[in-house]
Amino acid sequence: MLRTHSLYGLLFLLFIQIPGFSQQKQRFQNLQQALASTGRLAGSQGPASVNWIDGGTRFSFIDKGVIKSFSPKDGREEVVFDGSKLTFPGTDKSFAYESFQWSKDSKNLFFQTNFRPVWRRSGISDYYVYSVADKSLKLVAKDAQTAELSPDGTKVGYERDGNLFVFDFASQKETQLTSDAAPYFYNGRFGWAYEEEFGLAQAWEWSPDSKFIAYWQIDERQVPIYAMTDYKGFDENFVKLPYPRVGDKNPTARIGVVELANNKSQWMNVELGDGYIPRIYWTAQEGQLAVVHLNRKQNHMRLFLTNARTGEARQIMEEKNNAWIDVFDFFAGIMHYFYFPANSREFFWVSERDGFAHIYRYDYTGKLLNQVTKGNWEVVFVYNVDAKNRKIYYTSTQQSPLDRQLYVVDFDGKNTRKLTQAPGRHKIDFAPNSQYYIDNYSNTTTPTRVELWDTKGKLLKTLEANTSVTQFLDTYAYSPKELSSFTTSDGQKIDISIIKPLDFDANKKYPVVLDIYGGPGAQSVYNDFSITGWHQFLAQQGYAVVSVNNRGSGGYGYQFEKIVYEKLGLYESRDFAETAKYLATQSWVDGSRIAIRGHSYGGYMSSYTMLTHPGVFKVSLVGAPVTDWRLYDSIYTERYMGLLPENEAHYQKSAVSPNAKNLQGKMFIAHSTMDENVHIRNTMQLMNALEDAGKDADLRIYPPGAHGVAYNSTSSLLLYQQYTDYLEKYLKNNTATN
C-alpha cells in the first residue's frame, strides 16, 4: 500500500489495522444501502460547473443553484446570478438550466435548458442568454443539438435539424448558414458512429476571431440501418439508426467553412478516400484551419493546413504506425492530442513514436523543432500551452502508472517541475492565464480533496475536505483498496488492486471476484480512493474484490498497450487467468472459488476468458458483451482489429461463441434489446452456441435499458441483486457444477 501524505490518511491506516475494529462499526443492512454509499464515499467533487472568467483571474461555479465567482488573488466571493425568482420568458415557470457558459467579456451568461438526450454525448436543448448588466433573459436557440457563443460574444452559433444558424445580438436576427440537410445527411452534426468513436458531440467550431464557422458535413445515407425495440405495447415500434459494422459502408465526411461576412461556404480540399476526419483545429493564423485525416485502418495520420476562403489544403506532416494512432482518449477524458496556441506559429502534438506518449513541438511548415518531454513514462493530459511564457502544463505517469501528477516544462524541454504534492490521482482544472489551478485528487487512504493552488506552489484554499466522507467512515465499516502486483509466466509485471474481506483473517480462505474491464487504452487500477458501494458490500459478505491493469491498458507505454493489436482477447484473457492463478497461490484465497465480472468490453472479457481458460473461474458475470467483433461498429473495431477480409482469421480467433463448448462453471448474462452500442445479437449468438453445445447459462433481458442494461434505480438494484445472489449461490456456496 502506498503511503499517504495526510494526517487523516495516517490515522485511517492505523484504525483499519486494529483487529476487530470494523466490528464496532455499522455494516450495510442491505444491497440498496450499499449501492447508495457510492455517492457518500465519493463525496463532493468541489465547486460545480467551474468556468474560468476574466482571463483566468476569477472562476465561477454553481452553489445550490446560484452562480458565484471567486477571486484566487484576494479570496473574494460574490453572487453573479441568482435565478431563484426568474421565470422562463412569457411564462410563470421557474427558470432551470443544465449548464452554462460565459461570453468572453464576462457580460453575458449562456444557458442550456430542457435537455433531451439523443446518444451518449448529444441531446436537444433550448438555449437562453442572460445579460448580467440588465438581468434580462432571452431565448436565442430552440431545439438545437449544440450551441455556443462566439469568442467575441456578439453572436450565438447553433445546429438544428442538421443545419447551422447564427443569432446576432445587435440585430436580434437569426441567419441560416446551411440549407441542404436531409434524413441521415447533416451539417454541423455527427451521426452515432462518429460521435461514439471519435468522442465529440459538436461538429462545428468558431474561429478565434469569430469571423468563420468550420463544420463537418456527414452523409450516412449509404450506411446500413439498425432497428431496435423494447417490445412495449402491441405494435412493433422500432428506433432506427445508421450503424456501420466491420466492413460496412462508412459515413462520409467533408469540412466546410462559412465566412460570416458573406455567409458563403467553402469546402476544404482534403480527400477523404475510405478514411475519416476525426478532428479540426483553428490555428493562430487568420482564416487557417488544420484538418486531421485518418485512413480507415487508423494507422496513418495526416495533418493539413487549409485556407478557409479558398479551400486550398497543404499536408505538413504525417505519422504511420504498425498499430493504431490515437486522436483522443475516451477513458482519460482527453479530447485532443493537437494544440495550436494563440499568438504562436507553433503547434504541439502528443505521439507514442518513441515508445511512450510524449509532447512534440512543430512549426507551421511541419518541421519538428524538438521533443518536449522524454522518458519511460507517459504524458496523459495537456492542460495548458502558455505561448507567452513558453511553458506547457501537463499530467503524466512519471511518478507511477498508478498516479497522475501535474508538471510544467518549457517549450524546449528544459526546467521540468512537479506542481502537485500528494501521492495519488490528480484531476486538474487549469486557469487560462497559467496562474492558478483547481486540484481534485485522492489516493487509496485519502478520500477526495479539492484544493486551489497557484503555479508557484502555494496552497490558496481548500475548496472541499469532504468531512462528510470522514464522518461516514467513522460510522460505517470500510475495506480499503490495496495496491499490489505480480509477474506473469512470460515475465510481464501486472498491477492489481485488492479489496480484502471485512474482518480479514489470513488463516481463512476467501472467494474472489475479479471485477474487470480490459479494453484498449483503459485503466482499471489507480492510486485513488475506492468508492464503489457494491465492492464494499461484497467485502462485507466475505469476498475479496480484485481489479487488474492488464496488457492493453493505457499508462504503460506503446508495447504494453499495443500488444493487443489484431489480437483482442488473447493477452487480456491470459492476464486475467494469470491473476486468478497468482491469487490462488495466496494462503488466504480459495482458488476453486474465483469469479470474473465485466460489462461492455468487460462483458466480452468475462465471457471470452471464462471460455478460453476453462476451469480457472467458477462463475462469470457478463454484462452487454461483444461476442464477435464482426458485429460491432467499424470505427472502433477496425482501429484495433484491422480490416476484413484480410484479417478474417484474427476476427475468428477473437470471437467468444466458437468456444462455447468449453464452458465450465456458471455464466450469467444480462443485456438490453435497446442497446444501440453493443447489439443484443451478440448475446443471442452466444446463447445459441452454448445451447448447441449443451451448455447451460442464465440469461436476463432488460428490454428498455440501452447499453447500461439497467434503466432506472429499481432495475439497477435488481441487476446488482441478481449478480450478488448468483455469486452467493454458485461461488460462495460452491454449488456450481461442470
Side-chain angles (χ1 to χ4, degrees), residues 206-227:
W206 279 107
S207 63
D209 57 13
S210 304
K211 293 180 180 179
F212 303 90
I213 288 179
Y215 64 95
W216 276 264
Q217 185 182 79
I218 299 290
D219 187 351
E220 296 190 298
R221 290 175 294 187
Q222 301 302 312
V223 176
I225 298 296
Y226 176 67

Side-chain angles (χ1 to χ4, degrees), residues 547-562:
S547 294
V548 185
N549 282 350
N550 54 279
R551 274 172 280 197
S553 298
Y556 291 84
Y558 182 94
Q559 290 299 327
F560 190 91
E561 179 180 354
K562 298 312 204 263

Side-chain angles (χ1 to χ4, degrees), residues 310-384:
T310 68
E312 178 186 0
R314 174 170 52 94
Q315 180 179 314
I316 63 166
M317 65 166 287
E318 66 179 336
E319 177 89 343
K320 294 182 179 179
N321 204 306
N322 291 326
W324 69 90
I325 296 172
D326 289 310
V327 296
F328 82 114
D329 187 332
F330 171 88
F331 300 100
I334 301 163
M335 290 297 101
H336 304 284
Y337 282 134
F338 280 99
Y339 306 91
F340 290 83
N343 305 314
S344 173
R345 297 300 173 91
E346 298 174 352
F347 69 92
F348 297 83
W349 178 47
V350 177
S351 169
E352 298 175 296
R353 60 175 53 172
D354 74 347
F356 292 88
H358 283 296
I359 303 169
Y360 293 80
R361 174 176 160 234
Y362 292 83
D363 67 18
Y364 277 13
T365 70
K367 178 184 177 182
L368 176 63
L369 300 177
N370 62 278
Q371 181 175 346
V372 181
T373 59
K374 296 179 182 178
N376 294 339
W377 46 270
E378 302 248 280
V379 169
V380 177
F381 204 122
V382 175
Y383 285 98
N384 194 41

Side-chain angles (χ1 to χ4, degrees), residues 362-652:
Y362 292 83
D363 67 18
Y364 277 13
T365 70
K367 178 184 177 182
L368 176 63
L369 300 177
N370 62 278
Q371 181 175 346
V372 181
T373 59
K374 296 179 182 178
N376 294 339
W377 46 270
E378 302 248 280
V379 169
V380 177
F381 204 122
V382 175
Y383 285 98
N384 194 41
V385 179
D386 183 348
K388 180 180 179 181
N389 297 298
R390 303 184 69 77
K391 294 182 182 297
I392 302 174
Y393 296 84
Y394 64 93
T395 49
S396 77
T397 63
Q398 192 166 345
Q399 195 94 348
S400 162
L402 306 182
D403 279 26
R404 297 291 184 266
Q405 300 287 342
L406 179 66
Y407 293 82
V408 59
V409 64
D410 291 348
F411 278 14
D412 60 7
K414 297 178 181 178
N415 300 316
T416 301
R417 180 165 56 95
K418 180 169 170 283
L419 297 179
T420 41
Q421 305 296 315
R425 185 183 183 188
H426 293 257
K427 304 170 187 176
I428 307 299
D429 197 323
F430 209 89
N433 62 6
S434 301
Q435 293 183 17
Y436 311 107
Y437 64 92
I438 297 172
D439 182 12
N440 177 311
Y441 72 93
S442 73
N443 54 49
T444 56
T445 57
T446 306
T448 296
R449 291 182 65 86
V450 186
E451 299 168 345
L452 176 64
W453 290 76
D454 68 26
T455 50
K456 295 178 181 179
K458 182 181 179 181
L459 173 62
L460 302 178
K461 185 178 183 180
T462 298
L463 301 174
E464 182 58 71
N466 271 316
T467 55
S468 64
V469 180
T470 308
Q471 293 167 358
F472 183 76
L473 293 168
D474 287 341
T475 304
Y476 283 87
Y478 180 80
S479 299
K481 177 170 70 176
E482 301 177 18
L483 302 177
S484 186
S485 64
F486 73 97
T487 302
T488 65
S489 59
D490 61 353
Q492 178 63 59
K493 178 178 178 288
I494 298 293
D495 287 320
I496 63 174
S497 66
I498 304 171
I499 296 174
K500 289 180 178 175
L502 198 63
D503 302 326
F504 176 74
D505 184 344
N507 295 314
K508 292 183 179 180
K509 284 188 176 290
Y510 297 95
V512 176
V513 178
L514 256 67
D515 201 357
I516 54 95
Y517 180 75
Q523 188 170 333
S524 297
V525 179
Y526 292 94
N527 179 16
D528 59 6
F529 195 69
S530 179
I531 64 171
T532 304
W534 189 54
H535 290 172
Q536 292 300 313
F537 187 75
L538 292 178
Q540 292 185 15
Q541 302 304 309
Y543 300 92
V545 181
V546 175
S547 294
V548 185
N549 282 350
N550 54 279
R551 274 172 280 197
S553 298
Y556 291 84
Y558 182 94
Q559 290 299 327
F560 190 91
E561 179 180 354
K562 298 312 204 263
I563 194 173
V564 303
Y565 184 59
E566 296 184 337
K567 303 180 186 69
L568 292 187
L570 176 63
Y571 286 97
E572 306 97 302
S573 65
R574 285 182 186 175
D575 288 348
F576 296 138
E578 293 227 8
T579 301
K581 292 174 182 177
Y582 160 74
L583 291 168
T585 67
Q586 306 302 296
S587 61
W588 55 273
V589 171
D590 184 346
S592 69
R593 292 190 294 160
I594 301 180
I596 185 168
R597 179 262 177 186
H599 185 95
S600 191
Y601 198 100
Y604 166 60
M605 289 316 312
S606 59
S607 56
Y608 187 84
T609 307
M610 183 77 165
L611 298 179
T612 57
H613 296 270
V616 175
F617 297 94
K618 197 71 174 177
V619 171
S620 177
L621 302 177
V622 181
V626 175
T627 62
D628 191 317
W629 288 106
R630 290 165 290 192
L631 299 176
Y632 198 53
D633 82 72
S634 57
I635 300 178
Y636 181 95
T637 306
E638 293 168 359
R639 180 185 303 156
Y640 305 120
M641 285 294 294
L643 307 180
L644 291 176
E646 62 193 63
N647 278 12
E648 180 73 32
H650 293 306
Y651 278 90
Q652 292 175 0

Side-chain angles (χ1 to χ4, degrees), residues 34 57 73 127 135 149 268 293 387 444 450 492 549 577 592 666:
T57 59
K73 183 177 181 179
Y127 292 87
K135 296 181 171 52
L149 283 167
M268 301 302 99
H293 181 276
T444 56
V450 186
Q492 178 63 59
N549 282 350
S592 69
K666 298 294 292 183

